[in-house]
Amino acid sequence: MLADVTQWSPTRLGNLTGKRIIVTGATNGVGLGTTRALAGAGAHVIMAVRNTALGAQRAAEIGGSTEVLEVDLSDLASVRAFSDRLDGDIDILINNAGVLTDQRRETVDGFETTLGTNLLGPFALTNLLFARVRSQIINVASDGHRMATLRLDDMHTRHTKWTAMGAYTHSKLAMMLWGLELDRRLRAAHSGVVTQLVHPGWVASNLSNTGESRLMSLAHKAVKMVADRLANDIDEGAVPTLYCISEPIPPGSFVGASSRFGLRGEPALIGRSPGACDYDAAARVVQFAEQETGTTLPV
């Protein structure tokens, strides 16, 4: 029986001493809140970050047992190097890092940057590390996936109109479908590893801090001003991820805020869009990601 979500708090994590947990994007936003809670519960947190100097500063501020390793999810060479540098097994992999860009760009691998960072980088990282994951993979997606239409014939938006929010929600729908197929494959293989997806709600964070144009910068500042007053702080935004660790929820669950519009509220199992429940589309997304990254799940 699930716990009463109205009473959830970080104390439900219990004592995580001896657990090794990777958190990508751990220097800011939800990743920082997640890292802080896990380290506070005794876990050894591997902070997988682009900016190692900032990572070291955050680790010092957090205290507890942490280490900082460099990874740029928009660069497959960096993802592979991270996998090579990592020593030993891990208990939980949290694919938290995400980006919202101001204009269409491509990564060093030729991927549309939003898709490359939000889907293909975490996809490759998960496949490369899977043999060393003991128990759980948590992917931070978004309820914004409901606004997206999957473009399987143009995943990198080379031939269709690109917009910042369109690219972001498209990447999150693709991530939801990857999570669906990942769960299916783990169950079919009778794996001891489970996976969940989470929506952190509306969080005051620096997600779109990407060297914006003046217009985007002004819009971002306006949204941030409202968010700082009304949205979840980063610790509240981390709760759905932490809930996946502390509660006995079913494999493949999508966890988010319990309020009507999913913006704030206590953590709960929430529904996903019909498009995010399409197993055929999920298999095609994974096939695309395997081809682009040259990686596959070793189950």
Side-chain angles (χ1 to χ4, degrees):
M1 183 175 182
L2 297 183
D4 182 352
V5 297
T6 62
Q7 298 181 10
W8 194 93
S9 75
T11 60
R12 289 198 58 81
L13 289 168
N15 185 353
L16 297 180
T17 300
K19 301 292 185 183
R20 301 182 80 226
I21 303 174
I22 293 176
V23 180
T24 65
T27 53
N28 291 291
V30 172
L32 177 59
T34 301
T35 299
R36 190 155 54 200
L38 294 173
H44 176 72
V45 184
I46 300 162
M47 302 170 67
V49 302
R50 286 184 300 175
N51 186 337
T52 54
L54 180 58
Q57 177 186 325
R58 295 291 194 237
E61 293 166 356
I62 291 168
S65 180
T66 59
E67 66 178 289
V68 178
L69 288 180
E70 182 179 4
V71 67
D72 182 349
L73 292 171
S74 69
D75 183 344
L76 290 181
S78 177
V79 173
R80 292 182 183 278
F82 176 90
S83 176
D84 291 340
R85 285 195 305 270
L86 182 69
D87 291 327
D89 292 342
I90 56 170
D91 294 282
I92 302 171
L93 170 62
I94 301 174
N95 289 310
N96 165 84
V99 68
L100 171 64
T101 63
D102 64 304
Q103 57 184 287
R104 191 187 184 283
R105 299 183 179 90
E106 292 196 352
T107 70
V108 295
D109 300 294
F111 306 150
E112 188 276 319
T113 296
T114 311
L115 189 76
T117 306
N118 294 357
L119 172 71
L120 296 175
F123 180 88
L125 183 68
T126 298
N127 290 343
L128 292 168
L129 295 180
F130 181 76
R132 289 184 274 172
V133 177
R134 296 189 185 110
S135 64
Q136 192 173 23
I137 300 164
I138 302 171
N139 290 331
V140 179
S142 170
D143 220 29
H145 79 273
R146 300 177 188 280
M147 297 185 288
T149 300
L150 190 67
R151 297 182 294 266
L152 283 166
D153 59 342
D154 190 23
M155 292 292 283
H156 293 296
T157 55
R158 296 188 176 107
H159 308 293
T160 51
K161 182 179 179 181
W162 185 96
T163 65
M165 190 54 66
Y168 178 77
T169 58
H170 182 251
S171 73
K172 291 302 184 179
L173 175 56
M175 193 175 204
M176 292 289 293
L177 288 165
W178 166 39
L180 187 71
E181 177 66 4
L182 177 59
D183 175 61
R184 188 198 67 77
R185 291 190 181 191
L186 293 175
R187 290 173 189 248
H190 304 288
S191 174
V193 178
V194 298
T195 185
Q196 284 94 19
L197 291 152
V198 302
H199 166 55
W202 185 23
V203 182
S205 72
N206 68 334
L207 178 68
S208 58
N209 184 13
T210 56
E212 303 144 333
S213 65
R214 184 171 182 273
L215 181 60
M216 278 290 288
S217 180
L218 289 172
H220 177 223
K221 287 177 181 177
V223 170
K224 188 176 186 302
M225 187 180 300
V226 175
D228 286 343
R229 291 177 175 272
L230 302 177
N232 294 320
D233 62 28
I234 62 174
D235 296 316
E236 292 168 326
V239 167
T241 298
L242 302 172
Y243 184 83
C244 290
I245 296 170
S246 70
E247 309 305 315
I249 62 175
S253 295
F254 183 35
V255 176
S258 58
S259 66
R260 182 178 178 185
F261 297 107
L263 300 179
R264 301 194 65 175
E266 293 294 328
L269 305 189
I270 60 176
R272 59 194 87 191
S273 72
C277 300
D278 186 334
Y279 279 95
D280 289 337
R284 292 178 65 187
V285 165
V286 168
Q287 182 182 35
F288 159 80
E290 288 174 338
Q291 291 171 345
E292 294 291 79
T293 66
T295 68
T296 190
L297 191 72
V299 294

